[in-house]
Amino acid sequence: MKRESHLSDLSDKQWALIEPMITAWKQGRIARSATGDPGSCDLQEVVNAIFCQNRAVFQWRFLPQAFPAWSAVFYYFGL
């Protein structure tokens, strides 16, 4: 089930522009990790969540539940 979109969401065209860079970055992180676990978060949803938090300026723990877990989004934000 697809979540309701937010004003801060990337369009598919915008995501297509940055997706190769983010995917390459993530592959590099996986290659250097001790476990090699790629994780289960949809990176487009993580980016959308970061943009939502930035636009709405609320605490990370108040990130809408339709996004990945706030702790996962915060992890990616902090890298």
Side-chain angles (χ1 to χ4, degrees), residues 28-43:
R29 299 281 303 176
I30 293 168
R32 291 189 309 271
S33 75
T35 64
D37 181 14
S40 61
C41 289
D42 176 357
L43 291 179

Side-chain angles (χ1 to χ4, degrees), residues 2 6 9 11 15 17-18 22-23 25 30 35 41 49 53 55 62-63 69 72 74-75:
K2 189 145 170 83
H6 292 263
D9 283 357
S11 68
W15 175 246
L17 289 173
I18 67 169
I22 291 177
T23 300
W25 167 83
I30 293 168
T35 64
C41 289
Q53 195 280 338
R55 182 178 176 111
F62 293 119
L63 191 67
F74 184 73
Y75 168 80

Side-chain angles (χ1 to χ4, degrees), residues 10-76:
L10 292 172
S11 68
D12 290 337
K13 196 178 231 184
Q14 291 169 319
W15 175 246
L17 289 173
I18 67 169
E19 188 268 337
M21 178 183 63
I22 291 177
T23 300
W25 167 83
K26 175 124 185 201
Q27 292 303 319
R29 299 281 303 176
I30 293 168
R32 291 189 309 271
S33 75
T35 64
D37 181 14
S40 61
C41 289
D42 176 357
L43 291 179
Q44 184 174 5
E45 286 298 295
V46 169
V47 171
N48 285 335
I50 291 169
F51 286 164
C52 177
Q53 195 280 338
N54 185 39
R55 182 178 176 111
V57 191
F58 48 74
Q59 293 178 358
W60 286 103
R61 290 179 188 261
F62 293 119
L63 191 67
Q65 290 184 349
F67 288 116
W70 75 266
S71 56
V73 175
F74 184 73
Y75 168 80
Y76 281 103

